[in-house]
Amino acid sequence: AQSVTQLGSHVSVSEGALVLLRCNYSSSVPPYLFWYVQYPNQGLQLLLKYTSAATLVKGINGFEAEFKKSETSFHLTKPSAHMSDAAEYFCAVRNTGNQFYFGTGTSLTVIP
Amino acid sequence: DGGITQSPKYLFRKEGQNVTLSCEQNLNHDAMYWYRQDPGQGLRLIYYSQIVNDFQKGDIAEGYSVSREKKESFPLTVTSAQKNPTAFYLCASSIHLWTGELFFGEGSRLTVL
């Protein structure tokens, strides 16, 4: 069975500080991994995805994530937070031919 | 621009009423999905469809129904049998079933009065 755990339902950072959102997955085979962002009352937008081509994945808006098989992690980072980064972030996992499983989300607050 | 359109954005329903949420996509995707989002619970799969005239129950299908008469359209009906229908509903699509990434609509917020 697959599952996703996002540590920290709420994260606060100061504007300009490093953003680190944690995601750990369980999967019996190498998975496909995704990070989505959701602004209030809107749908989810893909930030980035890991499909086994490279362990460090760069996404939109300056975000990146690193796939670490030994740690079963896919943490999302951004070197310098911007006010516009305040949103809900979801990590998701999928194996070939199987459905997507989403984490419970992390709400990011950026403090001016 | 290609995308997914959900309507209505906000919907209020009295207990005992059925309501239908619309989802239309012009991405030429084969697969479409409905998810329910509740605070602190992430996204849960209600129904999905691989192709026209085919759909399958997801993890929380009870009290919901769908149809897929056209490739572009995948409406969701929330029936009176759904015990706790107040939620944010998200429609999504992908090029094929469980392939690539999901593309999402803007969502529909249903409130039962």
Side-chain angles (χ1 to χ4, degrees):
Chain A
Q2 302 167 71
S3 67
V4 177
T5 302
Q6 291 186 240
L7 293 176
S9 58
H10 294 88
V11 171
S12 294
V13 300
S14 297
E15 191 175 15
L18 172 72
V19 176
L20 171 61
L21 304 182
R22 299 178 186 275
C23 174
N24 288 87
Y25 68 91
S26 67
S27 175
S28 58
V29 297
Y32 297 100
L33 293 157
F34 308 82
W35 274 101
Y36 284 87
V37 61
Q38 183 182 36
Y39 297 99
N41 290 313
Q42 293 188 24
L44 276 67
Q45 178 185 2
L46 182 70
L47 273 178
L48 50 80
K49 61 182 178 182
Y50 168 75
T51 58
S52 77
T55 56
L56 182 62
V57 182
K58 294 187 183 299
I60 61 172
N61 301 338
F63 284 93
E64 63 182 37
E66 186 173 8
F67 171 68
K68 291 187 176 181
K69 184 178 178 181
S70 61
E71 299 177 7
T72 59
S73 69
F74 191 57
H75 301 330
L76 183 70
T77 60
K78 182 174 181 178
S80 176
H82 192 273
M83 296 298 294
S84 61
D85 294 327
E88 186 98 19
Y89 291 81
F90 291 92
C91 182
V93 63
R94 175 177 68 76
N95 285 342
T96 301
N98 288 334
Q99 70 166 313
F100 291 80
Y101 291 92
F102 288 84
T104 53
T106 297
S107 177
L108 176 66
T109 300
V110 182
I111 303 167
Chain B
D1 278 339
I4 299 177
T5 301
Q6 290 187 239
S7 63
K9 180 72 173 175
Y10 299 95
L11 185 61
F12 298 89
R13 183 193 101 175
K14 293 182 179 180
E15 284 192 24
Q17 290 181 335
N18 292 355
V19 294
T20 298
L21 307 181
S22 171
C23 177
E24 303 277 334
Q25 56 102 355
N26 61 3
L27 298 168
N28 199 32
H29 285 173
D30 285 335
M32 298 186 74
Y33 314 80
W34 274 104
Y35 287 89
R36 172 179 170 140
Q37 184 179 17
D38 296 282
Q41 295 194 44
L43 276 68
R44 293 182 289 168
L45 182 64
I46 304 173
Y47 266 98
Y48 61 96
S49 169
Q50 183 173 3
I51 56 172
V52 173
N53 294 323
D54 177 78
F55 49 83
Q56 304 295 329
K57 293 181 178 180
D59 299 321
I60 57 163
E62 185 176 352
Y64 300 98
S65 66
V66 294
S67 63
R68 186 88 184 276
E69 298 177 0
K70 298 186 300 181
K71 184 176 183 176
E72 301 80 16
S73 179
F74 191 42
L76 173 75
T77 297
V78 184
T79 75
S80 57
Q82 168 51 231
K83 293 183 175 17
N84 185 19
T86 295
F88 192 55
Y89 292 90
L90 288 159
C91 180
S93 70
S94 64
I95 188 162
H96 301 301
L97 187 65
W98 310 133
T99 302
E101 69 262 28
L102 294 175
F103 293 78
F104 285 88
E106 293 288 291
S108 293
R109 184 167 297 281
L110 172 63
T111 303
V112 175
L113 304 173

